[in-house]
Structure formats: C-alpha cells, structure tokens
Amino acid sequence: MKTTIFSTHKFEEPYLVKANNGKHQLKLLESRLTEETAILATGSKTVSLFTGDDASSKVLEKLNALGVKHLVLRSAGFNHVDLKKASELGIKVARVPAYSPYAIAEHTMALILALNRKLIKAHNRVREQNFSLNGLTGFDLNGKTVGVIGTGKIGSVLVKILHGFGCKILAQDVIEDQNLINSYNVIYTNCETICKQSDIISLHVPLTATTKHLIDKEHIALMKPGVMLINTGRGRLVDTKAVIVGLKTKKIGYFGIDVYEEEEGLFFEDHSNDILQDDVIARLMTFNNVLITSHQAFLTETALANIAETTIYNLDCFEKQILSGNEVTIE
Ligand code: NAI
C-alpha cells in the first residue's frame, strides 16, 4: 500500500525498511506534517505520523481531499490527532499501543538519578579537571516517597524499578492495579495527597482535556519544598510557567522533562544555528536543577524495532481491511 511517512528520523529509517521488507511502497519524508506539507501525501491512501506531526482538523481536511483514508501513528500517544474530525471524515487511525514501557520507565529513572546525583554537573567538572565535590550532594532514594501519577504500562514498570530502590510509592490512577498494591506496597490516593507527601512526583497519564495542566499553580503550592518533578508523559500535563515560578522560589528543587508544552517544531530537530524563539524553554534552560531531554525516552533498539513492526502490521491490516486491535477511536 502506498504510504507517506512524515517526520522520518534517521534513527528509525533502518527499522522501518527492515520491518517493511519491500511489502508496502513507503515514501519516507523528513518533513513534519503541517497544513503546508499535507500536499506531500498526494497519491497515498495512508499516512504515517510521529508525535510532532500536526493532525488537527484543518490538516485532516487537506489529507481527506487528497484521498487519504488511514493514519498510522508511530506512537502510543494520539493527542496530536483530532479523532472527532478523523471519524467525521471516515479516516481510520491506528497506533502502536505498547512498544516498550521499559524504555520510558528506565529513562524516567535516568532523569531522577542524574538530577539527584548531579551527574551532568559532575561530568562537566571532571572534564575541566575540577575534581571538587562541593555542590554535588544528593539524597538516598531508599526510603523516599515517590508519587506516580498514572500506573498503566509505563507507570507500573516505574513502580517496580522504584520498589527495587526501596522507595515508598503513592499512586493515582482511575483504575487501581491490585498487583501493584499486593506486590509493591503501592498506596493509591488522590493527586493532592501525592503533592503533599511526595519527595518525587512522576507523570505517566495520557494528555486529555482532564489531564491538561494537571500540575498547575495550585498543585505546586501543595508540594513539599524542594520536590523533584519529572515529566516523561506529555508536555501539557504541566503548566510550565507555574513550574518556572516554583523553581525560582525553590519550591521545586529539581525538574526533569522529556516532553515540553511547545515541543512541536523544536524537539527532534537540530536548531543549533537558529535563534531560540521560545522564551519559556530558554528560561528553563538557565536553571542548573533542570534536566531536559528532547522526547527521547522511547529511543531504545527494542522500542524502535517494535514501533516499526507494529506500524507495518497496521498497514497490512488496513490493506486487507481487517482489524488490527490497534485502532484508536473516540471514547
Ligand atoms: P497506559 O494507557 O498504559 O497508561 C495510562 C494510565 O493513565 C492508565 O492506567 C489510565 O487509567 C491512567 N489515566 C488516564 N487518565 C487518567 C486520569 N485523568 N487520571 C488518572 N489516571 C488516568 O499508557 P502508557 O503506555 O503507560 O503511556 C502513558 C503516557 O506516556 C502516554 O499517554 C504518552 O503520552 C506518554 N509516552 C511518552 C513517551 C516518551 O517517549 N516520552 C513514549 C510513550 C508514551
């Protein structure tokens, strides 16, 4: 099946080509899908998207006018797709529901450890032959309280890792996982209690109308002074401007993110020769207790192979007009 793949990154191309094994006619484009670039899908019945692509109402109308019938997402998250509009236009959407929750949970842990033990600062110092330890003091994770918001596939893996570190785990989810309660002593509570009692808070819920700015000024006010806040979920789960105030007042002691509210058009791209236009991320980058990675938590060999294989499987199913089980529909 003829498919235009938007936002093809160098790191995923070999995995896609291998999984496809010549089956489908893939048009691999580096361009992001936007209103302006939608025209590049001409001739394809199927379009494949990454998280930074724009599948809002206007873009979907353009794709529909070109005869596009299917969207195949190379991600678990689907907040960048206007599902209502897609349904109205009869455009079917499929995603990769799970490719490696370990990849994201492990990266979350890497952010926690790097921030706590000040690894970036230590590394930079040693490279400059500064072997002093002043200012590098961390804290034992053992015995600390960690609030995990969202205990689905990724959150539950993180719980298991944190349990291994000897942390006490508070959690919030609309569905309580009995196995996590029984095997890892997880205590389910509400977001307010998590904010009040946690030394570290990590976000693993999808971005929806309900979860947008879940961490806002009011929730930050409830947090322990010096709390560590980690977001590898979606940027808009957090009100970044409120976090900046929290960092300036030292209410937030550490902020680790792999996702950012305005990451579209910024993350995944080399802007090293550009003037940074986004003043909010520019301010975040000035704090020495902020660690930012540009949406790379998923970036492991296992995850890339699984994403490519499921994407090709979803194409197979659309071509044969059979259900893949990976369809995304409006709840
Ligand atoms: P999942 O669907 O397995 O788990 C999400 C959990 O959130 C579920 O247990 C669900 O019941 C809970 N939930 C949903 N709405 C809620 C609400 N309003 N309040 C409390 N709990 C709620 O999803 P998974 O695979 O664990 O992924 C979580 C999120 O992580 C994704 O939606 C995506 O945005 C993000 N993600 C980030 C990646 C990265 O590279 N940084 C890669 C993959 C996913």
Side-chain angles (χ1 to χ4, degrees):
M1 188 156 55
K2 244 182 158 181
T3 305
T4 300
I5 316 255
F6 281 95
S7 298
T8 312
H9 302 99
K10 279 202 177 64
F11 57 73
E12 61 174 339
E13 198 173 320
Y15 293 91
L16 282 168
V17 170
K18 185 172 177 220
N20 186 44
N21 198 19
K23 266 191 288 184
H24 302 282
Q25 206 179 323
L26 306 182
K27 185 167 147 192
L28 301 164
L29 301 179
E30 280 184 24
S31 318
R32 267 182 74 222
L33 174 64
T34 62
E35 268 189 79
E36 291 70 38
T37 62
I39 189 76
L40 297 172
T42 304
S44 291
K45 260 194 163 175
T46 307
V47 156
S48 175
L49 308 184
F50 207 68
T51 48
D53 288 311
D54 175 8
S56 57
S57 173
K58 281 189 176 164
V59 179
L60 290 177
E61 274 171 7
K62 294 207 164 175
L63 291 178
N64 183 54
L66 296 172
V68 171
K69 298 280 175 233
H70 319 112
L71 294 187
V72 177
L73 313 182
R74 305 196 302 291
S75 61
F78 48 85
N79 52 282
H80 53 310
V81 181
D82 186 334
L83 286 180
K84 194 166 165 277
K85 188 73 190 177
S87 161
E88 278 168 26
L89 296 170
I91 296 178
K92 295 201 170 82
V93 185
R95 63 173 178 144
V96 185
Y99 40 85
S100 172
Y102 306 99
I104 297 98
E106 288 170 14
H107 188 80
T108 303
M109 204 59 216
L111 289 175
I112 294 173
L113 289 168
L115 275 168
N116 173 21
R117 305 309 297 265
K118 301 170 176 65
L119 296 183
I120 310 294
K121 196 187 262 186
H123 174 72
N124 289 339
R125 268 191 201 180
V126 167
R127 283 170 67 95
E128 291 186 4
Q129 299 178 43
N130 174 355
F131 299 97
S132 143
L133 299 182
N134 294 331
L136 298 183
T137 309
F139 58 85
D140 282 16
L141 283 171
N142 181 52
K144 292 292 181 295
T145 301
V146 184
V148 178
I149 300 186
T151 53
K153 289 180 283 296
I154 296 168
S156 60
V157 173
L158 181 66
V159 163
K160 292 167 196 168
I161 296 172
L162 291 166
H163 186 261
F165 273 85
C167 297
K168 177 184 167 189
I169 301 152
L170 301 178
Q172 194 236 331
D173 198 301
V174 284
I175 305 158
E176 296 190 1
D177 184 332
Q178 203 54 46
N179 176 47
L180 296 182
I181 299 171
N182 296 341
S183 307
Y184 301 96
N185 306 323
V186 168
I187 300 167
Y188 278 94
T189 180
N190 54 32
C191 194
E192 285 67 32
T193 307
I194 285 182
C195 290
K196 283 182 196 162
Q197 296 186 5
S198 301
D199 301 294
I200 300 171
I201 298 170
S202 192
L203 309 177
H204 304 285
V205 283
L207 176 64
T208 62
T210 326
T211 60
K212 187 181 173 210
H213 285 186
L214 179 75
I215 300 299
D216 56 7
K217 195 170 83 178
E218 285 73 29
H219 279 108
I220 293 170
L222 298 174
M223 292 177 190
K224 282 187 177 181
V227 66
M228 180 187 290
L229 180 61
I230 304 287
N231 186 11
T232 60
R234 281 292 178 266
R236 290 189 184 93
L237 294 176
V238 168
D239 180 346
T240 316
K241 287 183 180 156
V243 168
I244 288 174
V245 175
L247 285 160
K248 284 165 81 175
T249 57
K250 300 191 180 171
K251 180 77 169 179
I252 297 175
Y254 310 82
F255 186 47
I257 53 171
D258 186 52
V259 286
Y260 168 59
E261 285 199 71
E262 303 299 332
E263 71 179 53
E264 291 79 16
L266 185 65
F267 281 14
F268 303 121
E269 294 168 18
D270 180 358
H271 288 286
S272 53
N273 288 320
D274 301 340
I275 303 293
L276 186 56
Q277 298 297 327
D278 183 328
D279 292 347
V280 177
I281 198 162
R283 182 67 179 101
L284 274 184
M285 284 158 60
T286 65
F287 294 101
N288 59 12
N289 52 353
V290 171
L291 184 50
I292 304 172
T293 52
S294 85
H295 210 138
Q296 71 172 73
F298 72 97
L299 198 61
T300 67
E301 291 168 4
T302 307
L304 288 174
N306 290 342
I307 291 170
E309 278 160 25
T310 306
T311 299
I312 300 303
Y313 170 73
N314 288 341
L315 288 181
D316 294 344
C317 293
F318 276 138
E319 189 173 49
K320 293 178 193 152
Q321 298 189 354
I322 54 172
L323 291 177
S324 64
N326 299 328
E327 295 80 11
V328 196
T329 47
I330 314 165
E331 283 168 18

